[in-house]
Every structure is written in structure tokens, then in C-alpha cells.
């Protein structure tokens, strides 16, 4: 019994040993050889990304054109004219002839107050004038008679002078009566509330049937002018010379910065365009800023009084500037530099002198020529002389590898072997 059991054990050990040798021969040995060959292969490749592959980048072109410098400011929308409509006379509110939120024209009738008392007062003033006019006519006839008797010495001169004064008194009384008529007519007209200018009415503060008077705090309704409309904002005092110079050259345009919609997929607010209207006459000593007022046509009624808006206005234009995308500018110990793409799909690190910059562009004073292409993304993996592959719209790499490498558009170098075990492709490591 012992001998067959020993044979079985030896047979099992032989099978396990053979299987282990086969696994090492087919799997582990090729991997070890690849790892040993990787450093030597890396030493034979040129500069670039991991494993000598071309670094995918995007490029921008340096071009000469006018560079517009702008300023951003936070402003508050304000109606050009705002009024709280109150009654100038006391009485009962009889009619409201507007809808809340309605756009009304100048002179439109908005409300009516009970006018019976004021109509009666006007009629009384007219009648009083007619009575005094009759008295004046009679006094003038008496004056004519007395003047005839005076020529015939039939009356004393004192009586003639007294009659002449009586005529003057009645003439003055007629003027007083006319003033009373004008006052009564004005009060009667005040019973009709009209819009003093074109605008939008708000929410009414009183209902029909209530008594209204000139001393009411809330009035009847508010009216605000929406077109045109004003926006007040402030600028740092350091920007005042540039703004004044721009205003002397002509009208300074200003526009609102569009804001995206808060609802997903909703329409965003479009930009409104206007002009700078005036600059304040005093710099705020506490903030070092100066007030500026701009006017907007507001034909689409997008600007509402009291709302906050971001404004952008051009204050200076640099003529024939050499402009590159701002993202192409890199900073190093020696100052600003860019990576310039060469014709052999390698890059050159070049120091540049910066001029004025905007949010997306920069003016180059020296160090670059028009038409040269600079790296705008992917620069974090580049060194002087690195090989690149341009990534165009759609994510396809369109660069050409250095001669002898055999790279093709849309890929790295096909002659490079697969990454060794534990090494990730260069493109994946960059995205991480």
C-alpha cells in the first residue's frame, strides 16, 4: 500500500512542476524581456511625451490687428423718470382707467376724481365775472355822460374823477374774476389724473371709492420711464483719464454682459447696447471711485429699474498690435515666454515682452513674429525641443512626427512598442 501512494505523490509533483515551467516560459519571460528593452528603446527616442510620443497640443496664430481694451463694472438700472401720481385736489376716486403693469403714453388718462364741487366753483366764478362785466359797462356809460357835462360846465370835475376811478375798479375786478376762473378750471382739470410721460405703471395703492388728497403718502400709482433707461455704475479713479479721452473722441459705447438662464435649457438674457451719458463731478474719497451714467434704448424691456447688471465698455484701442491668445502666455523665472511651433513639429521656448492684455488676448511687444503659431493648451508637458501633434476640432491629432519616426495623423508613433507592464499610455496620463 505504501509504494503506490508514493508513486501518486511523485506523479503529482511532476505535473505541478511542468505546469509552472510552462507558465514562466510563455508569460513571465516575454514581459521581463520587454521591461529590459524599454530603457534602451527610450534612449533611442527623441524628446516628447512619455515614451517619446508626440505631445497633443492646440495651437493659435499670432496676428496683427486692433486690440480693444475694455472695462467691466457693476451697475444699477435706474428709470430716467419716476413719479408717484397723487391727487392735487381732495375728493372721491371715481375711476381707475389703467391696468397694473400697463405701458401708457404721455397724457393718457389714468384716473378720475369726483369733480362736481369743482365744476360748481368754476360756474360760480364765471357768473361773478359776468356780473362785474355788466357793472363795468354801466360805469363806462356814466363816465361818458359826466365827461360831456364837464365840457358844458354842468358837473364838477371831482365827480368825473370819481366816476373814472369807479371804472378802473370794475376793470380790476374783472381781472380778479378771470384769475378765479383760471384757478377753478385748474382745480377741475386736476380731478383727471394723467401720465406726465410715457412709461409703465406699477401696482395701484388705492381702490375706487376711497377719498384721496394731495397729502397721501402712497399716492395712487407709480409711473416709471422704461425707454430710454439709465444705468448708474462706478469706475476706479485711475480709469478716469482713459474714459474722458474716449468720450472726447466720440460717443463711448457700453453693453451689458449677457447672463445665462438660471433654468436648464432656458433662454439667456441678450446683451443691451447703449452709450455713456455723463461722468460725475466728484470722486468718492472713501472708495476712490467716480460715478458714471449710461443710457440704453431698452426697446426689448430687458432692463428693469433697481436690477443689477454687469457692464462692459471700451476705453482704448491699440492699433496694429501683435495679438496672441492669452492662454499661450507662460510664466517662468526669466519672465513671460511662449512655446512656438516649428515646421518640423517641434517646439521652441521663446521669451516675449508683453504689452496690454484682455481677458482672452495679449499684445506682444517683442519676441514673436506675425504668422507664428504658439501652443495654447498642453504646454505643461513640453520642454524646449519637444515633439508635438496638433489636435484640431473634433479631437483628432493632426501633427506630423519628426522625420524617421513614422507618426500618422490621429495617432502617436506606431513604431513605439506597447507600454511596459504597469505603465499607462501618455495621453491617458495627461488627461489625469
Amino acid at each position: 500500500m505504501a509504494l503506490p501512494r508514493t508513486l501518486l505523490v511523485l506523479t503529482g509533483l511532476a505535473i505541478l512542476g511542468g505546469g509552472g515551467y510552462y507558465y514562466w516560459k510563455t508569460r513571465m519571460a516575454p514581459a521581463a524581456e520587454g521591461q529590459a528593452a524599454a530603457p534602451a528603446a527610450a534612449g533611442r527616442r527623441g524628446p516628447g511625451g512619455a515614451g517619446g510620443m508626440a505631445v497633443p497640443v492646440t495651437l493659435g496664430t499670432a496676428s496683427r490687428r486692433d486690440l480693444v481694451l475694455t472695462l467691466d463694472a457693476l451697475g444699477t438700472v435706474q428709470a430716467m423718470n419716476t413719479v408717484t401720481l397723487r391727487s392735487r385736489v381732495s375728493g372721491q376716486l371715481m375711476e381707475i382707467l389703467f391696468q397694473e403693469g400697463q405701458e401708457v403714453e404721455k397724457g393718457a388718462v389714468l384716473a378720475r376724481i369726483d369733480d362736481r364741487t369743482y365744476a360748481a366753483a368754476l360756474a360760480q366764478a364765471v357768473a361773478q365775472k359776468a356780473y362785474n362785466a355788466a357793472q363795468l359797462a354801466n360805469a363806462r356809460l356814466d363816465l361818458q355822460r359826466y365827461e360831456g357835462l364837464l365840457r358844458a360846465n354842468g358837473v364838477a370835475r371831482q365827480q368825473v374823477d370819481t366816476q373814472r376811478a369807479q371804472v378802473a375798479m370794475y376793470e380790476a375786478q374783472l381781472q380778479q374774476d378771470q384769475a378765479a376762473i383760471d384757478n377753478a378750471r385748474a382745480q377741475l382739470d386736476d380731478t383727471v389724473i394723467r401720465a406726465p410721460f410715457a412709461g409703465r405703471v406699477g401696482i395701484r395703492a388705492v381702490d375706487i371709492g376711497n377719498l384721496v388728497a394731495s397729502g397721501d403718502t402712497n399716492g395712487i400709482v407709480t409711473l416709471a420711464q422704461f425707454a430710454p433707461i439709465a444705468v448708474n455704475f462706478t469706475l476706479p479713479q485711475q480709469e478716469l483719464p482713459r474714459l474722458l479721452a474716449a468720450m472726447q473722441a466720440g460717443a463711448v459705447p457700453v453693453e451689458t454682459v449677457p447672463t445665462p438662464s438660471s433654468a436648464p435649457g432656458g433662454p439667456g438674457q441678450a446683451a443691451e447696447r447703449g452709450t455713456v451719458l455723463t461722468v460725475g463731478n466728484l470722486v468718492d474719497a472713501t472708495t476712490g471711485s467716480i460715478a458714471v451714467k449710461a443710457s440704453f434704448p431698452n426697446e426689448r424691456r430687458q432692463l428693469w429699474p433697481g436690477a443689477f447688471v454687469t457692464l462692459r465698455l471700451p476705453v482704448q484701442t491699440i492699433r496694429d498690435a501683435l495679438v496672441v491668445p492669452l492662454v499661450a502666455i507662460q510664466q517662468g523665472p526669466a519672465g513671460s515666454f511662449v512655446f512656438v511651433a516649428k515646421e518640423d513639429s517641434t517646439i521652441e521656448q521663446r521669451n516675449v515682452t508683453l504689452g496690454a492684455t484682455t481677458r482672452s488676448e495679449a499684445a506682444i511687444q517683442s519676441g514673436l513674429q506675425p504668422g507664428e503659431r504658439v501652443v495654447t493648451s498642453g504646454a505643461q508637458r513640453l520642454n524646449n525641443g519637444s515633439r508635438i501633434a496638433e489636435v484640431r476640432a473634433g479631437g483628432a491629432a493632426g501633427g506630423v512626427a519628426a522625420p524617421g519616426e513614422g507618426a500618422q495623423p490621429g495617432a502617436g508613433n506606431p513604431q513605439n512598442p506597447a507600454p511596459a507592464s504597469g505603465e499607462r499610455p501618455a495621453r491617458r496620463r495627461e488627461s489625469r
Side-chain angles (χ1 to χ4, degrees), residues 32-205:
E33 293 175 358
Q35 292 178 356
R44 294 192 299 269
R45 298 174 190 138
M53 297 175 60
V55 178
V57 297
T58 58
L59 301 177
T61 304
S63 60
R64 285 202 175 275
R65 55 187 177 82
D66 294 343
L67 181 63
V68 180
L69 304 182
T70 61
L71 293 176
D72 281 3
L74 181 64
T76 305
V77 182
Q78 182 183 28
M80 284 290 189
N81 295 287
T82 304
V83 64
T84 300
L85 296 176
R86 297 182 176 89
S87 174
R88 300 181 62 181
V89 296
S90 300
Q92 186 179 18
L93 185 62
M94 304 301 294
E95 288 183 284
I96 292 180
L97 304 175
F98 63 87
Q99 297 291 332
E100 294 173 326
Q102 178 184 352
E103 294 271 353
V104 297
E105 297 296 330
K106 180 180 180 179
V109 178
L110 303 180
R112 293 183 186 275
I113 298 172
D114 186 9
D115 63 350
R116 292 174 296 177
T117 302
Y118 302 100
L122 175 61
Q124 183 179 1
V126 172
Q128 184 65 37
K129 180 181 179 182
Y131 174 81
N132 291 328
Q135 296 285 359
L136 175 61
N138 183 57
R140 285 174 175 171
L141 290 176
D142 289 343
L143 178 60
Q144 291 177 359
R145 295 188 188 99
Y146 288 149
E147 288 177 345
L149 292 174
L150 179 62
R151 286 191 294 269
N153 295 322
V155 66
R157 179 174 295 275
Q158 181 180 1
Q159 190 173 359
V160 175
D161 293 340
T162 301
Q163 188 62 31
R164 186 176 289 114
Q166 187 70 25
V167 170
M169 290 173 58
Y170 282 125
E171 290 176 346
Q173 186 64 45
L174 282 183
Q175 294 178 357
Q176 183 178 354
D177 292 339
Q178 183 60 47
I181 291 173
D182 294 340
N183 181 63
R185 183 172 287 116
Q187 289 187 337
L188 180 62
D189 186 68
D190 288 340
T191 61
V192 180
I193 308 300
R194 295 180 174 86
F197 50 82
R200 181 187 178 96
V201 295
I203 299 175
R204 72 172 186 265

Side-chain angles (χ1 to χ4, degrees), residues 159-425:
Q159 190 173 359
V160 175
D161 293 340
T162 301
Q163 188 62 31
R164 186 176 289 114
Q166 187 70 25
V167 170
M169 290 173 58
Y170 282 125
E171 290 176 346
Q173 186 64 45
L174 282 183
Q175 294 178 357
Q176 183 178 354
D177 292 339
Q178 183 60 47
I181 291 173
D182 294 340
N183 181 63
R185 183 172 287 116
Q187 289 187 337
L188 180 62
D189 186 68
D190 288 340
T191 61
V192 180
I193 308 300
R194 295 180 174 86
F197 50 82
R200 181 187 178 96
V201 295
I203 299 175
R204 72 172 186 265
V206 65
D207 297 327
I208 294 177
N210 286 275
L211 292 176
V212 294
S214 59
D216 295 341
T217 303
N218 297 327
I220 299 175
V221 72
T222 59
L223 177 67
Q225 183 177 355
F226 270 56
I229 203 167
V231 177
N232 296 329
F233 60 98
T234 59
L235 289 177
Q237 62 180 359
Q238 295 83 356
E239 302 295 344
L240 182 58
R242 290 203 298 174
L243 177 59
L244 294 178
M247 294 179 65
Q248 291 176 357
V252 178
V254 58
E255 67 177 11
T256 60
V257 178
T259 56
S261 173
S262 58
Q269 187 179 22
E272 288 285 334
R273 292 174 173 82
T275 56
V276 174
L277 194 61
T278 185
V279 178
N281 60 355
L282 182 66
V283 175
D284 190 340
T286 58
T287 61
S289 60
I290 188 166
V292 185
K293 187 174 184 178
S295 174
F296 291 81
N298 199 30
E299 296 176 353
R300 294 175 292 181
R301 302 299 191 273
Q302 291 192 144
L303 300 178
W304 286 73
F308 293 99
V309 293
T310 302
L311 303 178
R312 181 168 296 164
L313 61 157
V315 293
Q316 185 179 358
T317 301
I318 301 178
R319 303 295 181 185
D320 197 28
L322 183 60
V323 180
V324 297
L326 183 61
V327 293
I329 306 299
Q330 308 293 326
Q331 298 296 331
S336 302
F337 67 92
V338 295
F339 288 114
V340 181
K342 301 168 67 175
E343 294 182 358
D344 59 355
S345 296
T346 60
I347 61 100
E348 174 190 353
Q349 180 176 332
R350 190 183 301 173
N351 294 331
V352 294
T353 302
L354 282 181
T357 61
T358 66
R359 292 162 189 81
S360 59
E361 297 174 320
I364 303 298
Q365 294 182 346
S366 63
L368 204 61
Q369 297 298 323
E372 290 187 308
R373 307 179 72 193
V374 294
V375 175
T376 56
S377 67
Q380 66 274 13
R381 300 184 56 217
L382 296 177
N383 294 309
N384 195 19
S386 295
R387 188 162 44 84
I388 60 173
E390 182 182 2
V391 178
R392 298 189 177 92
V400 180
E405 296 291 344
Q408 297 178 357
N413 188 349
Q415 294 185 357
N416 290 333
S421 176
E423 181 181 359
R424 296 182 179 179

